[in-house]
C-alpha cells in the first residue's frame, strides 16, 4: 500500500471532500483520510439538504465567496451530470432591525443582489403557493431572495469524493487519525494502523477540530453544539417545491428557525438555528429526540406554518462547530508552513464547501489564493 503522497487531506466530509476534488483537478497525488464513509451521518454534513443564499446577513464579505461557490456547484453538476443545487428562492422574516433582515438588506445593497420586499397582500394571494403557507408575526419585515435555494448535502460530498477518485485521488475510510507532525518539509500522519507521509497537510476535521488543531497557537475555543433536524408531515401542497414552495428563515423572539420546501410532497424539514447543547465528545453525542428539541419547533410551526403537523415524523442529530465570532477560520498553520486548515464553520458553512475547498487547494499548492478569505484568518483573534 502506498503511504507517500504530495498532499494529505484529513477529514473527508463537507470541506475535505471538496479540497480533495480541487487538488485532484490539479493533477497532484493526494490522499483523503476519514474515520467514516462517504456522506456519513456522524458529523456535520448529512440530513438531505442545506440552504444556500447570497444576500448574506452574517457578513457582506462572504458574498464574493458565495458568487464563486454558486459557479463551482454548477460546474460540479456539469462534471457529474447530477442535480446538486436547486434554486427555489428563500423567504426570510424578522424584526426590521434584527440581524437577519437588516443584515440581508445590507449585503444585497452593497453587492447589488436581487432582494424583494414581500407585502401583506402577497400572503392573502392564494395563487402564490410559497407565501400562503406562512403567517408572518405583526411588525415583522418579510423579504424574498430569488437566488436562494438548497443543496443535496450527501450527494455534494459523495460527488466531490467520486470525481476526486476518478481524477486519481485516493480516499481511505475506516482510518482514525491519532496524530500528525511536520518538520517543515514532510508531514507525518498517524492512524491507528498506518503512518502516511506527504509534502503538505490540509486538516478539515469538522467537530473534531479541537482534537487535531487544539495546539495551533492563537486558535480560539471551538464549541461543538448538538443540533437536531426535524421532518414534519405537510397537510397541503403549498410548500411543495414543484408548486412554488421555497426555503424559509425566521428570526423569532424565542429563537431562529429555518426550513426547506417539501421535496417529496409528504414532509418538509425544519430546524432551530439558535441554541444547542455543548458536546464534549462528538463520538458519544446523544442521538435521541428530546422534548427540549421538539418544543421550540412545535411552537414555531403552530405560530407560523398553517399547514404543517407540529409532531415530528423523523429526526436526525448533527453538530455545529462554533468560533467566538461565528465566522470560519481558514488559514495556514502559524508554525508549520506546509499545514493548512479549515475549521469552525459555525453552522453555516456547507454552502461554501465548494469554494473553500478551492481556496485550501490554492493555499496548499501555491501558498496563496486570489479568493477573498483574508477576513477568515486566524490573526483576527489576536486583535
Ligand atoms: C443541523 C445542521 C444544519 C445546517 N444547515 C446548514 C445550512 O442550511 N446551510 C449551510 O451552509 N450550512 C449548514 N450547516 C453547517 C454545515 O453543514 C457545516 O458547516 C459543514 O457541513 C461542516 O463540514 P465539515 O467538513 O467541517 O465537517 P464534516 O462534514 O463533519 O467533516 C469532518 C470530517 O472529518 C472526519 N474526521 C475528523 N476527525 C477525524 C479523525 N481524527 N480521524 C478520521 N477522520 C476524522 C469526520 O469523520 C468527518 O467526516 C448545518 C449544520 C448542521 C449540523
Amino acid at each position: 500500500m502506498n503511504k507517500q503522497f504530495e498532499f494529505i487531506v484529513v477529514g473527508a466530509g463537507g470541506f475535505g471532500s471538496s479540497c480533495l476534488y480541487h487538488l485532484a483537478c490539479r493533477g497532484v497525488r493526494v490522499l483523503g483520510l476519514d474515520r467514516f464513509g462517504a456522506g456519513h451521518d456522524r458529523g456535520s454534513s448529512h440530513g438531505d439538504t442545506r440552504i444556500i443564499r447570497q444576500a448574506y446577513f452574517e457578513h457582506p464579505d462572504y458574498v464574493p465567496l458565495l458568487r464563486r461557490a454558486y459557479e463551482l456547484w454548477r460546474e460540479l453538476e456539469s462534471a457529474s451530470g447530477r442535480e446538486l443545487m436547486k434554486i427555489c428562492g428563500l423567504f426570510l422574516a424578522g424584526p426590521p432591525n434584527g440581524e437577519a433582515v437588516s443584515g440581508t438588506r445590507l449585503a444585497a445593497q452593497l453587492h447589488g443582489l436581487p432582494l424583494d420586499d414581500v407585502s401583506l397582500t402577497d400572503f392573502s394571494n392564494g395563487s402564490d403557493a410559497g407565501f400562503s403557507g406562512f403567517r408572518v408575526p405583526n411588525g415583522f419585515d418579510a423579504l424574498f431572495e430569488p437566488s436562494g435555494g438548497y443543496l443535496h448535502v450527501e450527494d455534494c460530498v459523495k460527488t466531490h469524493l467520486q470525481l476526486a477518485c476518478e481524477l486519481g485521488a485516493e480516499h481511505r475510510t475506516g482510518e482514525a487519525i491519532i496524530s500528525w507532525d511536520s518538520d517543515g518539509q514532510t508531514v507525518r500522519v498517524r492512524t491507528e494502523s498506518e503512518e502516511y507521509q506527504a509534502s503538505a497537510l490540509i486538516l478539515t476535521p469538522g467537530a473534531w477540530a479541537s482534537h487535531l488543531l487544539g495546539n495551533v497557537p492563537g486558535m480560539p475555543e471551538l464549541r461543538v453544539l448538538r443540533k437536531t433536524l426535524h421532518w414534519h408531515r405537510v397537510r397541503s401542497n403549498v410548500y411543495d417545491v414543484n408548486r412554488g414552495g421555497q426555503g424559509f428563515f425566521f428570526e423569532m423572539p424565542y429563537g431562529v428557525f429555518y426550513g426547506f420546501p417539501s421535496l417529496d410532497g409528504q414532509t418538509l424539514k425544519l430546524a432551530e438555528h439558535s441554541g444547542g447543547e455543548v458536546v464534549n465528545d462528538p463520538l458519544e453525542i446523544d442521538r435521541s429526540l428530546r422534548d427540549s428539541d421538539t418544543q421550540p419547533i412545535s411552537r414555531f410551526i403552530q405560530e407560523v406554518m398553517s399547514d404543517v403537523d407540529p409532531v415530528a415524523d423523523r429526526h436526525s442529530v448533527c453538530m455545529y462547530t462554533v468560533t467566538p465570532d461565528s465566522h470560519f477560520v481558514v488559514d495556514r498553520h502559524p508554525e508549520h508552513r506546509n499545514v493548512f486548515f479549515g475549521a469552525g464553520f459555525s453552522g453555516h458553512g456547507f454552502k461554501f464547501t465548494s469554494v473553500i475547498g478551492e481556496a485550501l487547494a490554492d493555499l496548499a499548492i501555491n501558498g496563496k489564493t486570489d479568493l477573498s478569505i483574508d477576513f477568515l484568518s486566524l490573526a483576527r483573534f489576536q486583535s
Side-chain angles (χ1 to χ4, degrees):
M1 179 171 61
N2 184 20
K3 296 179 187 172
Q4 203 88 35
F5 295 84
E6 285 175 271
F7 299 87
I8 297 176
V9 179
V10 165
F15 290 90
S17 63
S18 168
C19 183
L20 199 68
Y21 169 71
H22 284 284
L23 286 167
C25 283
R26 298 179 203 188
V28 297
R29 281 171 30 77
V30 57
L31 168 68
L33 292 170
D34 206 294
R35 178 186 272 122
F36 299 119
H40 67 87
D41 64 357
R42 305 298 185 84
S44 305
S45 303
H46 59 276
D48 298 351
T49 43
R50 289 291 184 271
I51 285 180
I52 184 163
R53 56 195 159 84
Q54 282 190 22
Y56 217 60
F57 68 78
E58 288 87 343
H59 202 293
D61 285 358
Y62 284 101
V63 175
L65 291 176
L66 284 161
R67 287 203 159 111
R68 180 66 182 146
Y70 272 67
E71 279 174 14
L72 288 168
W73 288 121
R74 288 298 184 220
E75 285 177 20
L76 193 66
E77 287 183 322
S78 302
S80 64
R82 291 181 199 149
E83 189 196 70
L84 301 173
M85 178 169 72
K86 171 84 176 168
I87 299 304
C88 56
L90 183 85
F91 178 55
L92 181 143
N97 298 325
E99 185 193 2
V101 166
S102 62
T104 300
R105 285 194 196 282
L106 177 69
Q109 190 190 352
L110 288 176
H111 291 279
L113 299 169
L115 184 69
D116 304 326
D117 275 281
V118 180
S119 70
L120 285 179
T121 48
D122 293 323
F123 290 93
S124 50
N125 177 0
S127 66
D128 205 334
F131 300 147
S132 67
F134 299 97
R135 285 185 294 257
V136 174
N138 285 339
F140 272 28
D141 275 7
L143 303 171
F144 180 69
E145 182 184 342
S147 53
Y150 60 88
L151 295 158
H152 294 281
V153 56
E154 288 93 347
D155 288 348
C156 291
V157 175
K158 288 181 190 166
T159 302
H160 271 137
L161 290 172
Q162 187 193 322
L163 267 57
C165 292
E166 286 171 15
L167 290 163
E170 282 196 41
H171 173 219
R172 291 188 193 156
T173 58
E175 296 256 27
I177 286 80
I178 310 294
S179 65
W180 62 269
D181 64 59
S182 166
D183 62 9
Q185 298 292 317
T186 304
V187 290
R188 285 180 189 77
V189 174
R190 279 172 288 278
T191 72
E192 281 162 339
S193 53
E194 306 292 344
E195 180 176 302
Y196 300 97
Q197 293 188 6
S199 310
L201 172 65
I202 301 96
L203 294 155
T204 48
W208 290 266
S210 306
H211 301 210
L212 294 173
L213 292 163
N215 61 357
V216 174
M219 183 63 97
E221 184 195 10
L222 299 174
R223 276 187 324 138
V224 178
L225 299 181
R226 177 182 172 279
K227 306 297 293 183
T228 48
L229 293 163
H230 305 242
W231 284 261
H232 287 249
R233 296 215 152 260
V234 294
R235 295 180 184 135
S236 81
N237 60 17
V238 288
Y239 308 103
D240 195 321
V241 70
N242 299 314
R243 294 171 178 260
Q246 60 232 194
F248 53 92
F249 192 101
F250 276 69
E251 186 174 0
M252 301 296 283
Y254 49 89
V256 177
F257 300 85
Y258 66 94
F260 299 79
S262 175
L263 310 192
D264 59 5
Q266 308 290 314
T267 57
L268 62 70
K269 188 183 89 175
L270 74 171
E272 181 179 358
H273 182 51
S274 45
E277 180 186 276
V278 172
V279 176
N280 294 317
D281 180 352
L283 292 177
E284 298 293 328
I285 189 170
D286 177 8
R287 296 191 179 273
S288 66
L289 188 63
R290 306 171 183 166
D291 286 349
S292 55
D293 300 323
T294 57
Q295 277 159 2
I297 299 280
S298 298
R299 178 176 175 188
F300 172 75
I301 290 172
Q302 278 160 340
E303 289 182 17
V304 170
M305 306 196 66
S306 44
D307 286 320
V308 176
D309 186 338
V311 178
D313 204 46
R314 69 182 169 102
H315 81 283
S316 181
V317 174
C318 188
M319 289 173 282
Y320 284 3
T321 307
V322 184
T323 63
D325 61 8
S326 293
H327 298 302
F328 318 154
V329 203
V330 181
D331 213 332
R332 185 199 287 259
H333 193 296
E335 289 179 339
H336 302 292
R337 296 201 54 76
N338 55 352
V339 178
F340 305 86
F341 59 87
F345 291 99
S346 301
H348 59 110
F350 195 84
K351 59 184 85 60
F352 295 90
T353 53
S354 58
V355 62
I356 295 294
E358 181 178 53
L360 285 167
D362 288 344
L363 291 177
I365 291 181
N366 305 320
K368 60 186 173 61
T369 179
D370 292 336
L371 292 160
S372 53
I373 59 165
D374 288 353
F375 73 109
L376 303 175
S377 75
L378 194 57
R380 73 180 189 274
F381 295 107
Q382 276 140 35
S383 56

